[in-house]
C-alpha cells in the first residue's frame, strides 16, 4: 500500500491537500486490512487451516478455497464466485505491480535525473518517464526469469520491512515534525536500508529453514523472520539523530556577540559617555 500513499502525496497541490488525501488513503488502507483479516478468519473457520496449509503454506490460496466452499458444489453460482474472486486477486496483483512500477519511474525521473539531467540529455519529462517504465519492466522480467527456480518468499517480508523502514518514518516525520531536515532523511533512508538488508541476510528467511532462500545453509544470526521489528524503530532514531545532531551542540558551544544593548551597558561605554557629557 505504500506506493499508493506516496502517489497520493506527490499528486497533491499543497500540504493541506496532501494531508487530506493521505488521511483518506490511510482510512481506506485500514479498512482493507480489516476485511483481509476477516476473510482469513472466515476461511480458517469454513475451510480449515489444515486444508489451507496443504494447498499453500503461506495461506495465499485462502480466498479461492473460501469461495469454493460457501456455495454448494456443481452449482453455477459457485463457479461464478470462484471466477470473480480469481479476477479480483489478479487485478489486485496487477494494480500493485503497476503502482510500484509507476512510483519507481517517477523517482527515477525526478530524483535521479532531475531537471538538469533531463536538460542535459535533451529529453522531456514525459519521454523520460515512459523510458523509465520500459527499462524497469525489462529489468524486472530479466530478474524474474533468472530467479524463478529459487524460493524467494523472503522477498515479501523484505519488501514490506524495507517500505516500513525507509518510507513510513519519513512520511511521519515530514507531516508531524517541523525539525525534520535533509540530514535526517538521508540518515533515515540509508541507515534503515543498510540495517534492514543486513538483518534480512542474517535472518531465518535466507538460511536455516525449509522455506529459506538457502535451506541447506545455516548462518542465521538474527532470530526473527521480519527485520522491520528492529529496523523501523532504528530508522526513527536515525532520523531524529540526523536532524538534531546533539553532539554538534555539545562540541560547539554557542558564542554570543555583544549587541547594541550590551554595548551600552558595558563599563567602557559608560565612562566614554560620561566623558562626552562632561566635555559637552
Amino acid at each position: 500500500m505504500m506506493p499508493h500513499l506516496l502517489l497520493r502525496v506527490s499528486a497533491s497541490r499543497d500540504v493541506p491537500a496532501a494531508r487530506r488525501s493521505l488521511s483518506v488513503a490511510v482510512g481506506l488502507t485500514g479498512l482493507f486490512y480489516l476485511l483481509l483479516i476477516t476473510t482469513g478468519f472466515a476461511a480458517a473457520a469454513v475451510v480449515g487451516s489444515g486444508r489451507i496449509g496443504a494447498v499453500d503454506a503461506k495461506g495465499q490460496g485462502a480466498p479461492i478455497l473460501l469461495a469454493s466452499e460457501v456455495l454448494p458444489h456443481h452449482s453455477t453460482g459457485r463457479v461464478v464466485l470462484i471466477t470473480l474472486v480469481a479476477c479480483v486477486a489478479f487485478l489486485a496483483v496487477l494494480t500493485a505491480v503497476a503502482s510500484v512500477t509507476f512510483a519507481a519511474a517517477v523517482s527515477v525521473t525526478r530524483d535521479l535525473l532531475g531537471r538538469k539531467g533531463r536538460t542535459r540529455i535533451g529529453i522531456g519529462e514525459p519521454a523520460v518517464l515512459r523510458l523509465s517504465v520500459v527499462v524497469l519492466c525489462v529489468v524486472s522480467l530479466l530478474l524474474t526469469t533468472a530467479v524463478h527456480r529459487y524460493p524467494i518468499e523472503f522477498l515479501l517480508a523484505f519488501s514490506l520491512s524495507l517500505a516500513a523502514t525507509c518510507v513510513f518514518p519519513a512520511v511521519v516525520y515530514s507531516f508531524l515534525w517541523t525539525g525534520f531536515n535533509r540530514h535526517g532523511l538521508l540518515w533515515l533512508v540509508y541507515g534503515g536500508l543498510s540495517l534492514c538488508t543486513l538483518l534480512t541476510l542474517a535472518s531465518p528467511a535466507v538460511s536455516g529453514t525449509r522455506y529459506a532462500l538457502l535451506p541447506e545453509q545455516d548462518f542465521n544470526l538474527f532470530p526473527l523472520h521480519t527485520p522491520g521489528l528492529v529496523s523501523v524503530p532504528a530508522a526513527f532514531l536515525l532520523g531524529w539523530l540526523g536532524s538534531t545532531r546533539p553532539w554538534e551542540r555539545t562540541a560547539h558551544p554557542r558564542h554570543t556577540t555583544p549587541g547594541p544593548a550590551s554595548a551600552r551597558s558595558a563599563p567602557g561605554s559608560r565612562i566614554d559617555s560620561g566623558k562626552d557629557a562632561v566635555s559637552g
Side-chain angles (χ1 to χ4, degrees):
M1 302 302 296
M2 294 307 300
H4 300 282
L5 300 180
L6 290 178
L7 290 177
R8 278 181 172 269
V9 172
S10 60
S12 302
R13 297 183 302 272
D14 49 13
V15 174
R19 288 176 177 171
R20 288 193 300 269
S21 180
L22 191 64
S23 300
V24 173
V26 170
L28 293 176
T29 303
L31 179 62
F32 167 75
Y33 280 112
L34 287 177
L35 293 176
L36 190 64
I37 294 171
T38 305
T39 305
F41 279 113
V46 175
V47 181
S49 58
R51 290 184 57 191
I52 296 175
V55 174
D56 183 10
K58 299 293 183 180
Q60 298 182 7
I64 302 294
L65 295 175
L66 177 61
S68 64
E69 292 292 335
V70 294
L71 294 177
H73 290 263
H74 306 290
S75 62
T76 306
R78 178 175 179 269
V79 176
V80 172
L81 183 59
I82 293 175
T83 305
L84 180 62
V85 173
C87 292
V88 169
F90 174 75
L91 289 177
V93 174
L94 185 63
T95 303
V97 173
S99 62
V100 170
T101 304
F102 186 73
V106 171
S107 299
V108 170
T109 304
R110 294 188 175 182
D111 298 337
L112 295 183
L113 294 179
R115 188 184 301 271
K116 295 181 179 180
R118 295 195 301 269
T119 305
R120 191 181 301 112
I121 61 180
I123 303 178
E125 184 174 354
V128 175
L129 185 62
R130 297 188 186 99
L131 183 61
S132 300
V133 170
V134 173
V135 171
L136 290 172
C137 291
V138 171
V139 172
S140 300
L141 289 174
L142 293 177
L143 290 176
T144 303
T145 305
V147 302
H148 76 282
R149 295 184 178 179
Y150 295 92
I152 56 173
E153 284 81 4
F154 78 97
L155 288 178
L156 179 62
F158 175 70
S159 61
L160 293 177
S161 300
L162 188 62
T165 301
C166 298
V167 179
F168 177 68
V171 172
V172 172
Y173 275 150
S174 299
F175 280 90
L176 301 180
W177 185 28
T178 57
F180 187 59
N181 53 24
R182 181 175 180 272
H183 291 284
L185 179 63
L186 293 177
W187 279 50
L188 187 153
V189 172
Y190 289 108
L193 173 63
S194 302
L195 182 61
C196 187
T197 303
L198 291 176
L199 291 180
T200 301
L201 294 177
S203 67
V206 177
S207 66
T209 58
R210 179 182 177 185
Y211 299 101
L213 177 64
L214 303 174
E216 66 279 358
Q217 304 292 331
D218 190 3
F219 51 86
N220 51 342
L221 302 177
F222 183 67
L224 303 178
H225 285 78
T226 305
L229 297 175
V230 176
S231 59
V232 172
F236 274 105
L237 179 60
L238 289 174
W240 176 79
L241 288 176
S243 299
T244 58
R245 285 177 288 181
W247 58 87
E248 292 186 357
R249 298 179 182 179
T250 57
H252 303 284
R254 185 178 299 175
H255 298 282
T256 58
T257 56
S262 61
R264 286 194 301 266
S265 62
S269 61
R270 294 175 182 174
I271 295 175
D272 294 339
S273 60
K275 289 181 180 180
D276 294 339
V278 171
S279 61

